[in-house]
Amino acid sequence: MKLSRWLPCLDWGRHYNRHHASQDGLAALIVTLMLIPQSLAYAMLAGLPPVMGLYASILPLLAYALFGSSRTLAVGPVAVVSLMTAAALQPLFPAGSAEYIGAAMLLALLSGLLLSAMAVLRLGFLANFLSHPVVSGFISASGILIAIGQLKHLLGITASGENLLHLIPQLWLGLPAVHGPTLLIGLLSLAWLWWARAHLKGALQRLGLSVAAAANLAKAGPVLAIIAAIVAVTGLQLDQAGVKVVGAIPQGLPGLTLPTLNLDLALQLLPAALLISLVGFVESVSVAQTLAAKRRQRIQPNNELLGLGSANLASAFSGGFPVTGGFARSVVNYEAGAQTPMAGVFTAAGIALSVLLLTPLLHNLPHAVLAATIMVAVLSLVDLGSLRRTWRYSRQDGAAQVATLLGVLLIGVEAGILLGVGLSLLLFLWRTSQPHIAVVGQVPGSEHFRNVERFAVIESPSVLSLRVDESLYFPNARYLEDRIGELIASRPEVRHLVLMCSGVNLIDASALDSLEAIVERLQTAGVQLHLSEVKGPVMDQLRRSSFLDTFAGQVFISQFDALKTLAPQTTAHSPIANRMP
């Protein structure tokens, strides 16, 4: 087994050069400026001391650089995972307490172990159970829930809750106690961040900067908001007037620490850790694949599992909380020209220097500015238009997306995503339990067979050609029996039934039992069952049973051969049949 399979850094590392280093260094500088305010904000969102966001942005980036396969994915705290962390821990401990912090580190440890185990066992396919509509509904609902949850920091009031039914009444009751200076700081920060996101790049270009320089400087908008707010609070002594600030942040690099090792607590947090792992993996892989495709590169999902697993383990042992690949940061990293995961290493170095040198300067950073940073970041993830598009295309997928969104908003994060996944699976089983089964006939002058209700085709009165457009398994086995019974009862002249299996990828044990029952019933009615266009893997499966030896029919390579053998008079006048020797 090649070592580079588990250590992709060996591949890109041997070709690393000065050009790559300069590009990675520039990208790291920009991402560091973006990551500092986001890390502080997302730690606060998770109910943790802001410095833990910085801790979660150092060793995890180094670990991912070793094991991750994406050249541009930027790993660290993200909004959705921070929300899920808070949802898992707030019912158990007071936010910010020592027990809460230890449980957050344990959650990162569990997530890291689960992701690493999935990588070793090659279980990346489990993330496929989170369909795109469910993930889209979950992310949009999480964005709305996070934004509304941050209003308390913007207004300077107290409110808590894991869904809108709890949050909105508390926010309404707290309106009379709104703190004016806090609200002013929050609104100004929001206005600046929205303007900077939409217009700062253009304004800098009009001042004479190049497109690339303007785009890079525009990413520093949140940093400018933080600096201005700290200066205002310090100069006007607003912290003494009631503006809540971050306060003292420990200076120095995080030491290696053990998470809370409590078996009962670990078992309690395991379901949340699994959901965080799956959601984080889906988000990371989606971003990584999109960015890799732009450069005609590839990522390996199992390497991504190992990279994210090692990042979470590193976070757990360095005072952090669950992390994953962030969408906005990764796009910025890509657009800034990052060539390899060394950009993440340089970013980690930048964050480490910030922890060593800048933390005393963050004492007077208002919570309202961090709240505004979170709100602007997460509202860009909300895509309610996808609900209409999904519903118009597929009512079942649309229902799952709506259920996920409403579940997250009205019940809670974990319940919402479980509701969406459960409904998706139930609707899938319901949809495939009644597969499309079409009576087909020969298109004149060809070997093609099409639905008799859609095309003008040739049919044989003695041969019923039936196409099944679904794999045959336990939910639809009985439906197949009933449908064939109805068709045979309505066609007394039929003596042969040919089951066209071009759309069948699987026949499970239940469906095999149904086929045997169908053979018995048809023979009682004087009808013989045949198969056509059976795929190789399905045929291999059938050969492992006694069905092919006992059903007394034939297996034809094509439906045309079946009709030519069983009803030659039907194909006798076909131009194709006449051309055959």
Side-chain angles (χ1 to χ4, degrees):
M1 182 184 298
K2 292 179 62 177
L3 186 60
S4 59
R5 173 184 167 189
W6 297 107
L7 289 171
C9 60
L10 297 178
D11 280 334
W12 58 261
R14 65 171 61 100
H15 304 295
Y16 201 70
N17 55 42
R18 184 177 298 176
H19 171 71
H20 291 155
S22 63
Q23 292 290 98
D24 288 343
L26 176 61
L29 176 62
I30 297 167
V31 172
T32 300
L33 291 174
M34 183 179 184
L35 187 54
I36 290 173
Q38 284 192 351
S39 297
L40 296 169
Y42 293 151
M44 187 178 75
L45 173 60
L48 296 162
V51 72
M52 289 186 67
L54 297 176
Y55 293 166
S57 304
I58 302 175
L59 286 188
L61 278 68
L62 302 180
Y64 181 83
L66 287 175
F67 299 102
S69 64
S70 172
R71 301 290 181 96
T72 52
L73 188 71
V75 173
V78 300
V80 172
V81 170
S82 298
L83 175 66
M84 296 179 74
T85 299
L89 301 182
Q90 284 178 353
L92 304 178
F93 306 106
S97 65
E99 295 83 359
Y100 191 100
I101 292 172
M105 294 166 62
L106 178 59
L107 197 57
L109 176 64
L110 292 172
S111 181
L113 291 174
L114 286 170
L115 288 164
S116 300
M118 289 168 64
V120 173
L121 298 174
R122 308 181 72 80
L123 297 180
F125 69 89
L126 289 176
N128 296 334
F129 288 103
L130 294 175
S131 67
H132 178 74
V134 168
V135 172
S136 176
F138 171 72
I139 290 177
S140 293
S142 297
I144 295 170
L145 191 61
I146 290 170
I148 293 176
Q150 293 306 300
L151 287 175
K152 62 184 179 183
H153 298 297
L154 216 64
L155 301 173
I157 61 178
T158 301
S160 61
E162 60 180 17
N163 57 53
L164 294 187
L165 298 179
H166 294 154
L167 275 172
I168 291 178
Q170 292 193 39
L171 289 171
W172 177 260
L173 293 174
L175 286 179
V178 168
H179 189 252
T182 299
L183 178 61
L184 180 61
I185 291 172
L187 291 178
L188 288 175
S189 300
L190 270 180
W192 162 252
L193 292 172
W194 278 118
W195 183 87
R197 179 181 284 258
H199 305 292
L200 182 56
K201 177 183 173 183
L204 292 172
Q205 286 182 250
R206 287 191 293 273
L207 292 176
L209 271 70
S210 66
V211 175
N216 292 335
L217 280 177
K219 304 297 189 301
V223 176
L224 296 176
I226 285 177
I227 294 172
I230 291 174
V231 170
V233 169
T234 304
L236 301 175
Q237 297 184 336
L238 295 177
D239 55 325
Q240 298 180 17
V243 173
K244 292 184 179 179
V245 296
V246 168
I249 296 178
Q251 190 173 7
L253 295 175
L256 293 179
T257 56
L258 280 176
T260 300
L261 298 179
N262 183 314
L263 182 59
D264 292 335
L265 180 60
L267 293 175
Q268 195 171 0
L269 293 178
L270 193 59
L274 180 60
L275 279 179
I276 288 173
S277 300
L278 290 176
V279 169
F281 175 59
V282 169
E283 182 176 352
S284 292
V285 167
S286 299
V287 176
Q289 286 178 333
T290 300
L291 297 180
K294 292 182 178 182
R295 292 182 180 172
R296 298 192 177 185
Q297 296 170 348
R298 292 183 61 195
I299 66 162
Q300 300 296 330
N302 288 307
N303 279 116
E304 289 304 293
L305 282 169
L306 188 58
L308 294 174
S310 62
N312 277 279
L313 291 174
S315 185
F317 289 108
S318 60
F321 57 100
V323 297
T324 192
F327 174 75
R329 275 199 305 276
S330 298
V331 171
V332 169
N333 197 38
Y334 171 85
E335 292 178 346
Q339 298 297 311
T340 72
M342 274 300 292
V345 175
F346 294 149
T347 300
I351 299 293
L353 285 174
S354 302
V355 173
L356 284 171
L357 304 176
L358 301 181
T359 48
L361 303 177
L362 298 174
H363 182 282
N364 286 338
L365 174 59
H367 284 179
V369 176
L370 295 180
T373 302
I374 293 172
M375 293 174 71
V376 172
V378 299
L379 287 177
S380 65
L381 302 176
V382 177
D383 182 13
L384 297 181
S386 68
L387 289 173
R388 178 176 53 83
R389 295 190 298 270
T390 304
W391 182 268
R392 186 170 56 189
Y393 182 76
S394 169
R395 295 289 177 88
Q396 290 89 352
D397 289 334
Q401 189 169 356
V402 170
T404 305
L405 187 139
L406 293 179
V408 170
L409 292 178
L410 303 179
I411 304 174
V413 175
E414 294 176 7
I417 196 167
L418 289 174
L419 179 64
V421 171
L423 186 58
S424 290
L425 293 176
L426 284 176
L427 289 172
F428 171 77
L429 291 174
W430 175 79
R431 185 168 60 242
T432 57
S433 69
Q434 298 181 337
H436 182 252
I437 299 177
V439 177
V440 297
Q442 182 189 2
V443 177
S446 75
E447 294 186 14
H448 299 294
F449 284 75
R450 293 292 184 267
N451 193 331
V452 298
E453 297 180 0
R454 295 176 180 268
F455 295 86
V457 293
I458 301 171
E459 289 187 84
S460 167
S462 62
V463 178
L464 176 60
S465 299
L466 208 59
R467 190 188 70 220
V468 181
D469 296 331
E470 186 62 71
S471 292
L472 301 177
Y473 70 130
F474 65 94
N476 59 31
R478 187 60 57 85
Y479 179 82
L480 178 66
E481 293 182 38
D482 295 341
R483 181 66 176 141
I484 287 177
E486 292 174 5
L487 291 170
I488 292 298
S490 64
R491 290 170 168 79
E493 297 181 3
V494 168
R495 292 294 174 263
H496 299 279
L497 169 64
V498 183
L499 208 58
M500 190 175 172
C501 300
S502 54
V504 177
N505 298 312
L506 167 73
I507 297 177
D508 74 356
S510 298
L512 184 63
D513 289 340
S514 290
L515 286 177
E516 291 172 346
I518 289 169
V519 168
E520 293 181 7
R521 294 173 189 173
L522 291 177
Q523 288 177 346
T524 303
V527 179
Q528 178 60 56
L529 176 69
H530 307 274
L531 305 177
S532 74
E533 303 188 13
V534 182
K535 295 181 177 179
V538 178
M539 183 62 78
D540 294 340
Q541 203 173 13
L542 290 176
R543 288 195 181 105
R544 292 197 292 269
S545 71
S546 60
F547 177 78
L548 296 176
D549 299 324
T550 60
F551 89 122
Q554 299 182 61
V555 179
F556 297 97
I557 195 169
S558 71
Q559 190 66 21
F560 182 80
D561 285 343
L563 201 64
K564 188 172 66 172
T565 301
L566 301 175
Q569 69 280 5
T570 303
T571 59
H573 302 291
S574 169
I576 290 179
N578 293 336
R579 288 200 301 267
M580 289 183 177

